[in-house]
Amino acid sequence: MTAPLLEVRKLIKSFPGVRALKGVSLSLGRGELLAVIGENGAGKSTLMKILAGVQRPDSGEIALDGTTVELRNVHDSLRAGIALIHQELNLADNLDVAANIFLGREPLKGGLIDTARMRREARQFLEAVGLVVDPATLVSTLTIGHQQLVEIAKALSVNARVLIMDEPTSSLSSHEAENLFKVIRDLRSRGVSLVYVSHRLGEVRALADRVTVLRDGENAGNLEKTEIDHSRMVKLMVGRDLSQFYPHVPRKPGEVVLKVERLQTRAHPRHALSFEVRAGEIVGVAGLVGAGRTELLEALFGVLPAVGGVMRIGGCALAPRSPKEAIAAGLALVPEDRKKQGVILEMAVRENLCLARLRRDQRFGFLSPTGMARLSADMVAALRIKTPHDRQVVQFLSGGNQQKVVLGKWLALKPKVLLLDEPTRGVDIGAKQEIYRLMEELADQGVAILFVSSEMEEILGMSDRALVLHEGRLAGELARGALSEEAVMHLATGSERLAA
Ligand SMILES: Nc1ncnc2c1ncn2[C@@H]1O[C@H](COP(=O)(O)OP(=O)(O)O)[C@@H](O)[C@H]1O
Ligand SMILES: [Mg+2]
């Protein structure tokens, strides 16, 4: 048997107060795409930085082609053919694309940089990653997705045999991500070996040849191609079963709280949507990208007012023209992009938690400083928000805890209907489970919950009932008993139409 291309044996790395890696091993075959997954803090980035020569291990071995190598710095790693695309990209903003690709290795002519040749050669690497831009373009003018492709082109220009990507899709749009996957598949078919670090299990399932799972600085297990599925990955990441992961318990739903009648969103005015959500019911909204899920929530909440139809909340008809009207009627929306719309990152936990209440009750002005302190303390406790104190600025909290602050802000209004858009996007698995538990608690208290999710497991795990949208139309409704991945996909892709 030939040795694997890259082999890591028992790496140990400590930082003051933390053992980030406690003897981690992995191996990578030629032309293979190995996904490395694990919860936040599992040690993934530390391992990748060691392979890229950015950090040095305390002990352990790294072998390439069966020969032990010392990676003392980034140059050693590059010389060995290992390149890392960092989570935060590493380009020089003030230089053009070609200069970034050849930074430190510029072709010279008569002692000066041969710009013409550099740009000519840059073209061939840009072509390899499918990026159609002039090599003389300043990188600061490119989108994040394109900057990332420049980084990959740069890695190819140093002949990287092992390309490591650390959470490469975390700041990409879904379109940019799709393009990146194409480039990745293409590189693999040309013999480049890849280590792909990601949180997003859907893309891991779509891309990986093998999966290595880290948990708490240790190897938690490996999955071969045929074993890669969501529940196995989650089980290894969290060390427990998926059935225990979703705390869902069936409840007897109460009265209809939200009744939507022939609602027409601005994005898909040709389709009228009608459905109900009862007290204590958790209704999932599934669909592919572009199905109109966010637009539905935004129409209900008056962000982008509907062009037709009404809804009834506890019997009162309304067609909100603004979030203010929706809030007054008992609705709350936790938006998908919490950084843009959900919290004010520069403000403290307490101010954020009280924000929605203060705005609504402005006219009455009855939330005193002590009232605020109490409300905030209650929310921090109820949501188990991990923060040293509630005067902490929100941007220093983890993603999961920021999301809990957004939730808390809306829960302070005691809404009758809670709208959640991708409630667990970008939060780690521990915080995910806490958000699920919270949804359950709210449903137990009689709140009607409508949540949009792109994660199949979340729709299947958390919904009492699911609505499936396809290109703006309500393609179908599935009761919990009828919920399955196949049934959802069937409706989401519009294939029931084709069959008819
Ligand atoms: N430079 C550093 N200094 C101190 N602690 C660090 C440093 N880098 C990482 N850590 C700690 O090491 C652990 C693993 O972190 P990391 O490798 O970034 O995990 P992951 O990428 O899986 O989220 C965490 O507890 C983290 O706080
Ligand atoms: Mg990381």
Side-chain angles (χ1 to χ4, degrees), residues 39-46 49 87-88 166-167 197 199:
E39 290 193 66
N40 266 340
K44 306 178 296 294
S45 293
T46 303
K49 285 180 190 158
Q87 210 166 338
E88 346 33 66
D166 193 356
E167 312 244 3
V197 177
H199 250 103

Side-chain angles (χ1 to χ4, degrees), residues 286 456-457 459-461 463 465-466 468 477-492:
M456 183 63 76
E457 300 293 335
I459 293 282
L460 301 184
S463 308
R465 194 152 52 83
V468 187
E477 236 184 273
L478 297 164
R480 186 160 179 92
L483 262 176
S484 67
E485 179 160 0
E486 297 72 43
V488 172
M489 284 316 290
H490 190 67
L491 291 168

Side-chain angles (χ1 to χ4, degrees), residues 205-220:
R205 194 166 46 181
L207 288 171
D209 297 316
R210 219 151 45 79
V211 174
T212 287
V213 188
L214 299 187
R215 185 166 71 229
D216 207 10
E218 294 179 279
N219 286 89

Side-chain angles (χ1 to χ4, degrees), residues 270-326:
R270 288 181 303 117
H271 300 292
L273 305 170
S274 303
F275 60 90
E276 297 173 351
V277 186
R278 294 173 172 269
E281 205 181 16
I282 299 180
V283 176
V285 182
L288 305 177
V289 170
R293 296 166 301 168
T294 294
E295 289 80 2
L296 167 62
L297 297 190
E298 289 185 342
L300 293 173
F301 199 59
V303 179
L304 277 175
V307 294
V310 290
M311 59 177 159
R312 290 174 203 283
I313 293 186
C316 299
L318 107 139
R321 312 307 302 168
S322 68
K324 207 168 165 182
E325 285 178 39

